[in-house]
Amino acid sequence: MNIKDQGTRPIVTEQDIVLARQACRKLAQDCGLRLVAQTKLVTAVSELARNMLVYGGGGDLHWEILEDGLRKGIRIIFHDEGPGIADLQLAMTDGWTSGNGLGLGLTGAKRLVNEFDIETAPGQGTRISITQWS
Amino acid sequence: MERIPILRMGEILLVTVQVEMHDQLALTLQEDLAERISATAARGVLIDISALEIVDSFIGRMIANISSLSRIMDAQTVLVGMQPAVAITLVELGLNLPGVATALNVDRGMKLLLDSAQRQ
Ligand SMILES: Nc1ncnc2c1ncn2[C@@H]1O[C@H](COP(=O)(O)OP(=O)(O)OP(=O)(O)O)[C@@H](O)[C@H]1O
Ligand SMILES: [Mg+2]
C-alpha cells in the first residue's frame, strides 16, 4: 500500500470544521469515491472533528491518499492531546454522551466508514483513524 | 449578525438552510423562530434542507430542537428536500429524528401542513 499524498490541518475553531468538511469532500471526489461513500466520509469527519474540538480542546486532522493495487482510499487521522476517554466501551455505546449531544458521533462515524481505529487513555489524548476505499 | 431568513407564507413559516450551520447560527435560528411563531400564530414550520450536503448529529439535534419548540408552540414541523445520499447516511449514523415529519419537497410539505391544519 502506497501513500500518494498527505497533509495536515488544525482544528481549533468551528470554522475549521466547516473547512475540513470541504477539504475532505474534495479529496474524496479526487479519489473517485461515489457520492454516498463521500457523504458518509464527510459526515464522519464532521462528527470526529467536532468531538476533537468540544472534548479534546482542539487537535490536528491528518489526511492520506492511499493506493492499494487498483483501489484508492482516503485515510483521516484525528489527534488531540485532550483528557482522553476513560471508559471507551461506554463512549462507544449508541446514545451515550457526557455532554448534551445525542451520543451518536463515535458509533455513527464507525458505521459510516470502511475502517475505524481508536486509541485513547485518560490523560493521553485521543487518536482516531478512519479509512474509506473507492 | 449572520442569520438564517424565515419566510412567511400565510400560516406557514419557511426556513431554507443554505449556509454551513454552526452553534451560534443554530441558536439564533431557534430564537428567531420562536418569536416568529408567536408573532404570526403560524401553524406550521417547513425546514428546507435541499442545499445541505451532509446532516450530522449537530444539525440533527438542531432539527429535533426546532421540532420540539414548534410543537410546544402549537405548530408542526416538516423537514423537506433531503438529498438521497444524506438520507442513506442518516440511517447509518443512527439518527432517526423521532417526531419529525418529512416530505420530499416544499410543495408536498406545504400540502401536508395545510391538510393537517384543516383537520383540526
Ligand atoms: N476526542 C475526545 N476526547 C475526549 N472525549 C471524547 C472525545 N470524543 C468523544 N469523547 C467522549 O465520548 C462521548 C461520546 O461521543 P459521541 O461523539 O459519540 O457523542 P457526543 O459528542 O456526546 O454527542 P453527538 O456527537 O451525538 O452530538 C462524548 O460525550 C465524550 O465524553
Ligand atoms: Mg460527538
Side-chain angles (χ1 to χ4, degrees):
Chain A
M1 192 170 65
N2 293 316
I3 297 177
K4 302 298 286 181
D5 197 6
Q6 57 184 314
T8 303
R9 39 192 323 137
I11 305 286
V12 284
T13 65
E14 285 242 4
Q15 188 58 22
D16 291 336
I17 301 178
V18 173
L19 295 174
R21 281 204 296 257
Q22 288 165 357
C24 291
R25 169 76 71 177
K26 176 87 178 35
L27 292 170
Q29 279 166 349
D30 293 348
C31 257
L33 258 63
R34 294 167 60 97
L35 181 61
V36 171
Q38 283 174 28
T39 306
K40 288 181 176 180
L41 179 75
V42 175
T43 305
V45 166
S46 189
E47 295 295 345
L48 299 175
R50 185 173 297 279
N51 279 355
M52 196 156 74
L53 183 66
V54 173
Y55 305 110
D60 282 329
L61 179 160
H62 179 76
W63 56 269
E64 295 171 354
I65 301 301
L66 310 175
E67 213 173 57
D68 183 20
L70 281 178
R71 58 179 193 164
K72 272 182 118 181
I74 164 167
R75 171 170 297 153
I76 301 171
I77 299 162
F78 302 82
H79 180 241
D80 70 65
E81 290 176 347
I85 302 175
D87 189 338
L88 187 56
Q89 210 186 339
L90 190 62
M92 290 299 295
T93 307
D94 265 335
W96 188 82
T97 175
S98 66
N100 59 351
L102 297 173
L104 287 177
L106 283 179
T107 46
K110 185 176 180 179
R111 285 190 291 266
L112 292 175
V113 295
N114 298 129
E115 292 165 29
F116 179 100
D117 283 298
I118 180 164
E119 286 165 38
T120 183
Q124 305 282 299
T126 302
R127 185 182 178 281
I128 299 177
S129 159
I130 58 175
T131 310
Q132 197 82 311
W133 293 102
S134 62
Chain B
M1 194 171 70
E2 193 189 8
R3 31 173 29 105
I4 294 183
I6 301 172
L7 216 79
R8 181 180 175 187
M9 297 184 298
E11 294 194 294
I12 292 171
L13 298 176
L14 174 65
V15 180
T16 304
V17 184
Q18 251 159 353
V19 294
E20 292 274 6
M21 270 291 174
H22 53 76
D23 271 306
Q24 192 48 52
L25 204 54
L27 287 178
T28 311
L29 176 59
Q30 282 170 44
E31 284 166 22
D32 288 353
L33 253 183
E35 246 163 63
R36 289 294 293 278
I37 294 173
S38 144
T40 64
R43 301 309 305 265
V45 177
L46 272 183
I47 306 177
D48 182 4
I49 58 162
S50 55
L52 292 191
E53 291 187 342
I54 69 148
V55 170
D56 59 5
S57 64
F58 172 76
I59 295 182
R61 184 152 52 98
M62 180 199 79
I63 292 168
N65 284 347
I66 288 178
S67 164
S68 322
L69 175 71
S70 307
R71 195 170 319 118
I72 57 171
M73 295 191 73
D74 194 25
Q76 196 188 338
T77 305
V78 179
L79 192 62
V80 300
M82 191 184 294
Q83 295 181 15
V86 171
I88 293 170
T89 302
L90 270 189
V91 173
E92 206 102 337
L93 186 65
L95 198 78
N96 36 37
L97 296 173
V100 181
T102 56
L104 226 44
N105 53 40
V106 173
D107 283 351
R108 289 232 226 156
M110 194 81 108
K111 188 165 181 310
L112 192 78
L113 286 173
L114 294 176
D115 285 355
S116 79
Q118 236 162 34
R119 271 199 306 275
Q120 284 179 7

